[in-house]
Every structure is written in C-alpha cells, then in structure tokens.
Amino acid sequence: MNMSEIPALSISTTLLASEKISALRLVSDSIAQQRQTLNRRIITHPYFLAPTLLLFAVIIKLNYHRTSDLPTVTILLAGVTIALLSLVSRYSSQYLERAEAVGNANGLRSFVDAPEREVIIAKWGERVIGTVVLYFFEGNMDAQVWTWTVERRYRGKGLGRDLVPSYQFLFFKC
C-alpha cells in the first residue's frame, strides 16, 4: 500500500446527523461488547468457578457408579452448565437492553436532535472509529462525559488517549 493511499486520522466535533448516528452505533456496539466481557469475567471468576466445580463433583459423586452411568452424568452436567450460563446471561441482559435502546430508531433520533450533547469523533478516512459524547447540563456550565469508546480493533493503540485533549478543550471553552 502506497503512503498516499493510507487514510488520514482526524479528530473533530461533528454536527452531521450521519456522523452522530455512526458514533451512537459505535457506542451501542461497545455496550454489547461490555456484556460479553462481563459474562466472561463472571464465568472465570473463582467465586463462580469454585461452587460450579463443587456442584459438578457432587453430581458425579451421586450419579456415577459404573461405566453405564456416564451418559446420564454427562447429560446432567450439560443441563447444569446450560442453566448456569443462562443465569449469567440473564444477569447481564441489562447491557443488551441498553445497547438496543441506544441503537434503535427512537434512541438515534433523540440523540441526534439533542442540543445539549456535543459529539467528538475520530475518523479513519471516512469511517468513525472513536467517539466521545459530552452532555452539557442546562442552565449552567457543567458538563460530563456521557460516553467514550473506540472501535474494538483500534483499542490499545492510544486513540482513546488522543481523544482526551479534544474534550478537555470543549470543557475549558465553556
């Protein structure tokens, strides 16, 4: 690839509805990815693994006496595994509901039309790969970072850190 063909990285505020929608879809994807991370962390946490392994041991101890019991024990363990994974999924379902609420048509419309939100985007060429959304409180000069995310494949490369000066500038400009 020629150096002239590499797209430029730009960080700026945006007023364009299409870029705001791209930023919000990025936020929605990030929320869904947070759910996956939470599920993985719960499942691999010692406080979850220890009782699970203990339960498996009890099931095996009570039901496995000879080789012919192996199919029964396998089905029992599979059933318990499915039940436990369903519980974890249920526990983290709020993340998915929030991602859907942010990414649906009503959420997008209210987001784009909100004058109290300032959207900063990082674009790689024409693709929005990072965003910071600031929420300015009505009637005073206070603001907060409503959300801040970078597309998964660009994380760990310093782009999120590069977005900090852009929103600090807006804070101090108020």
Side-chain angles (χ1 to χ4, degrees):
M1 179 179 266
N2 191 345
M3 288 298 282
S4 63
E5 296 173 8
I6 297 175
L9 176 66
S10 62
I11 298 175
S12 62
T13 58
T14 184
L15 297 173
L16 297 175
S18 62
E19 290 179 339
K20 286 183 176 183
I21 288 172
S22 293
L24 196 62
R25 289 212 168 108
L26 183 60
V27 170
S28 180
D29 290 345
S30 180
I31 294 169
Q33 291 165 5
Q34 289 173 7
R35 177 183 190 227
Q36 295 170 349
T37 301
L38 176 64
N39 288 343
R40 187 172 39 256
R41 294 277 170 96
I42 290 172
I43 291 167
T44 59
H45 195 280
Y47 287 164
F48 182 84
L49 281 176
T52 300
L53 293 175
L54 180 64
L55 180 60
F56 285 1
V58 168
I59 289 171
I60 292 169
K61 179 75 172 162
L62 294 176
N63 294 294
Y64 186 71
H65 304 293
R66 56 189 167 277
T67 309
S68 63
D69 294 335
L70 189 58
T72 303
V73 171
T74 303
I75 291 171
L76 282 170
L77 292 176
V80 168
T81 301
I82 290 169
L84 290 172
L85 292 176
S86 295
L87 283 172
V88 170
S89 179
R90 174 99 168 122
Y91 178 75
S92 65
S93 64
Q94 296 160 348
Y95 281 86
L96 202 53
E97 291 165 8
R98 182 67 180 153
E100 289 171 355
V102 167
N104 71 19
N106 290 334
L108 292 171
R109 193 174 313 107
S110 66
F111 178 79
V112 169
D113 296 339
E116 67 276 0
R117 289 199 181 99
E118 187 75 39
V119 181
I120 301 166
I121 58 170
K123 288 175 67 175
W124 182 260
E126 292 302 311
R127 181 187 177 110
V128 175
I129 62 169
T131 187
V132 175
V133 179
L134 301 174
Y135 181 83
F136 290 91
F137 295 102
E138 194 174 323
N140 60 25
M141 301 307 278
D142 292 334
Q144 74 179 22
V145 174
W146 181 71
T147 186
W148 177 14
T149 191
V150 173
E151 191 174 318
R152 179 177 245 165
R153 74 172 123 177
Y154 298 103
R155 291 182 188 157
K157 296 177 177 32
L159 181 57
R161 182 183 58 239
D162 292 344
L163 285 167
V164 172
S166 59
Y167 76 76
Q168 285 177 334
F169 173 75
L170 282 174
F171 274 134
F172 294 121
K173 187 174 87 170
C174 292

